[in-house]
Amino acid sequence: MKVFKFGGASVKDSGGVQNVLKVLQSEGVKEKLIVISAMGKTTNAMEIVVKKYLEKGNIGEALQPVKEYHNAILSGLFGNKDHPAFGEVRELFRELENFLQYNRSTNYDFVYDQVVIYGELLSTTIVSEYLSFCGINNNLLDARTCIRTDSTFRDAQVQWKETQAQILSQVNRENLTVTQGFIGADENNFSTTLGREGSDYTAGIFAYCLNAENVTIWKDVPGVLNADPRVFENPQLLEHISYEEAIELAFYGASVIHPKTLQPLQRKEIPLFVKSFLNPSNPGTAVKKGQPILPKIPCFIVKKDQVLISLSSLDFSFILEKNISEIFSLFHKYQIKVDLIQNSAISFSVCIDNKFNNLEKLLSHLKATFRVNYNTGVSLYTIRHFDEKAVAALEKDKKVLLKQITRETVQLVAIP
Ligand code: ASP
Ligand code: MG
């Protein structure tokens, strides 16, 4: 069987949902599991609902555009307001409003997960109903009953054994299953999420547990490109790459595949295809075992909104292993993601991602022991398979704060 993943952009309007049907019709509707993200920018809109709720602001005002958006998609698909999908969507909003009314927790990460998951519940309800409406028999599976996780809200860790058992007992391999990306549940059955853009990872988890033949991620770009078209000019399609290459690209911040997706696939050597949902018959990119990158060209990746922190000891003594281990335990404590490290005798620099908004706490803690310099809002640029020309092109018009070169990779921390 095969696993497909459709991201938010592929189901951003009724035309997108109709296109999912078209892709399924051309690829075959049997023996498939399709993982679907929240529609368009719904997760961002849900984040605003969470913020308003915790600030005791006007939640109704924050939810209204989400309701209107989904209702417009329903109308585009079903026209007639009598279709049961309208009622199911209304019911999901009612459930969410109920949670917001009765919940007493002020823990941001917990509330976040209980709220944003409705994006995926809405999208899959609509897609599943639409496929049935068009005569395509499918099972809507609540991914929370399968993707079992710990209780690290917003960054939940999969409990593989239980997840595997649930998936094997619940998925009907012969038929078409529709399920949510990104979401899971903990042992108390509270909803959890796997991290932003985590739907790819969900596809990887299902494929691994089901021993799928392959996984296809359907995107609004032709495949994996050597550069993000939103940032760099003239991106080129990579025809094939190895798992290792894809992991490296994702790790450095190429947003095309969620970094955690590759490992389960690699372990079972399940091929991954990244294709355009607009041109489903084009080959896209194949990620497979041992495939050398083709064509072999420099790949450019940028991570924006990073923080560069440089630490030195208060008495200018050396930064030693003991200090570094202390620094890293603080990173761990404050859920700081470290993207780059550079050490010299008296100074230690790291480029970090302040994903969990703990920078202030981290800095005040660090300042007790170290002299701290930092720049917020910097970008981390990476070139894999660099050459002189690529580096020169990247360095042009930037203030480079730090540069690091290894055999295959150049990294720059720069403004902007
Ligand atoms: N809807 C989630 C997000 O926007 C998960 C995903 O799209 O992969 O982050
Ligand atoms: Mg998305």
Side-chain angles (χ1 to χ4, degrees):
M1 79 177 293
K2 294 179 182 173
V3 174
F4 284 179
K5 182 258 174 172
F6 292 94
S10 66
V11 289
K12 70 178 195 302
D13 49 26
S14 55
V17 178
Q18 286 159 339
N19 190 55
V20 169
L21 170 68
K22 244 190 267 165
V23 171
L24 284 172
Q25 281 168 333
S26 81
E27 303 285 322
V29 294
K30 292 282 171 219
E31 299 177 22
K32 296 257 161 21
L33 179 133
I34 66 173
V35 172
I36 300 174
S37 300
M39 294 173 150
K41 303 265 178 250
T42 300
T43 306
N44 296 354
M46 288 300 193
E47 287 181 343
I48 296 173
V49 173
V50 175
K51 189 163 172 279
K52 280 271 158 4
Y53 173 72
L54 290 172
E55 292 170 356
K56 304 209 177 350
N58 189 337
I59 312 166
E61 205 176 274
L63 262 180
Q64 197 50 32
V66 186
K67 289 184 180 173
E68 284 167 13
Y69 172 63
H70 288 88
N71 279 325
I73 293 176
L74 284 171
S75 301
L77 293 172
F78 303 103
N80 181 349
K81 290 232 181 320
D82 294 338
H83 192 279
F86 285 90
E88 286 166 34
V89 163
R90 233 180 295 125
E91 188 49 40
L92 285 170
F93 280 112
R94 214 180 347 250
E95 221 181 271
L96 169 59
E97 283 163 336
N98 219 38
F99 167 79
L100 294 171
Q101 191 180 342
Y102 293 106
N103 164 65
R104 291 289 162 265
S105 170
T106 52
N107 174 346
Y108 176 78
D109 293 348
F110 169 79
V111 174
Y112 181 101
D113 281 2
Q114 309 320 302
V115 173
V116 298
I117 54 131
Y118 281 90
E120 270 69 15
L121 295 177
L122 288 161
S123 70
T124 46
T125 298
I126 295 172
V127 171
S128 168
E129 281 292 0
Y130 180 68
L131 294 174
S132 301
F133 178 69
C134 298
I136 297 191
N137 181 15
N138 67 92
N139 311 326
L140 176 59
L141 173 68
D142 186 331
R144 293 173 298 179
T145 65
C146 286
I147 307 291
R148 307 302 296 180
T149 71
D150 69 3
S151 303
T152 316
F153 298 105
R154 289 179 70 210
D155 192 21
Q157 305 300 307
V158 173
Q159 321 254 269
W160 281 94
K161 249 177 101 182
E162 229 194 304
T163 298
Q164 164 111 23
Q166 288 299 337
I167 289 177
L168 290 177
S169 78
Q170 294 195 58
V171 175
N172 172 350
R173 309 178 70 98
E174 268 81 69
N175 207 338
L176 170 65
T177 299
V178 177
T179 196
Q180 303 83 22
F182 176 55
I183 77 174
D186 71 2
E187 59 180 359
N188 299 312
N189 286 326
F190 284 118
S191 301
T192 56
T193 64
L194 307 175
R196 284 301 309 260
E197 308 299 327
S199 295
D200 294 352
Y201 184 35
T202 305
I205 298 166
F206 274 102
Y208 177 90
C209 294
L210 290 164
N211 277 323
E213 192 182 323
N214 57 47
V215 176
T216 306
I217 298 180
W218 297 93
K219 308 256 330 170
D220 55 358
V221 287
V224 179
L225 304 173
N226 76 323
D228 184 339
R230 292 167 298 188
V231 187
F232 300 97
E233 282 168 21
N234 304 322
Q236 276 176 267
L237 178 70
L238 302 175
E239 287 169 40
H240 51 73
I241 54 179
S242 63
Y243 293 111
E244 290 81 2
E245 184 70 42
I247 289 169
E248 294 280 2
L249 293 173
F251 172 81
Y252 289 121
S255 61
V256 67
I257 309 170
H258 187 276
K260 282 184 173 173
T261 312
L262 279 314
Q263 273 127 351
L265 299 180
Q266 181 183 28
R267 243 177 286 148
K268 288 201 174 166
E269 296 180 13
I270 298 170
L272 169 71
F273 300 101
V274 181
K275 293 189 184 196
S276 161
F277 58 74
L278 299 169
N279 300 296
S281 55
N282 288 0
T285 301
V287 183
K288 286 185 187 162
K289 188 187 174 196
Q291 296 263 23
I293 183 168
L294 184 85
K296 189 161 188 209
I297 48 176
C299 297
F300 298 84
I301 305 144
V302 60
K303 265 193 183 177
K304 293 189 172 167
D305 284 324
Q306 305 290 294
V307 185
L308 179 66
I309 303 179
S310 297
L311 305 171
S312 47
S313 53
L314 290 168
D315 58 2
F316 289 104
S317 59
F318 292 158
I319 299 258
L320 298 172
E321 287 74 9
K322 178 176 153 298
N323 308 108
I324 295 175
S325 100
E326 190 185 316
I327 295 165
F328 270 86
S329 67
L330 289 179
F331 291 157
H332 181 67
K333 176 171 177 192
Y334 293 117
Q335 295 172 286
I336 300 286
K337 306 279 180 199
V338 177
D339 289 322
L340 176 146
I341 306 164
Q342 199 162 67
N343 194 23
S344 73
I346 55 159
S347 135
F348 180 78
S349 297
V350 279
C351 185
I352 61 154
D353 200 329
N354 180 28
K355 222 167 140 182
F356 290 86
N357 295 316
N358 289 331
L359 182 65
E360 293 303 322
K361 282 185 239 159
L362 171 76
L363 289 174
S364 74
H365 213 136
L366 286 171
K367 279 176 186 162
T369 326
F370 300 99
R371 196 182 306 274
V372 182
N373 285 307
Y374 67 98
N375 303 70
T376 54
V378 299
S379 299
L380 173 63
Y381 293 91
T382 303
I383 314 176
R384 294 265 304 154
H385 317 294
F386 64 94
D387 56 26
E388 291 304 317
K389 210 174 119 209
V391 178
L394 189 62
E395 283 184 337
K396 201 172 62 139
D397 334 312
K398 285 183 190 69
K399 182 166 188 270
V400 177
L401 302 173
L402 188 156
K403 184 170 174 178
Q404 201 169 73
I405 305 182
T406 50
R407 237 163 299 170
E408 284 291 339
T409 309
V410 170
Q411 290 195 287
L412 304 176
V413 178
I415 308 172

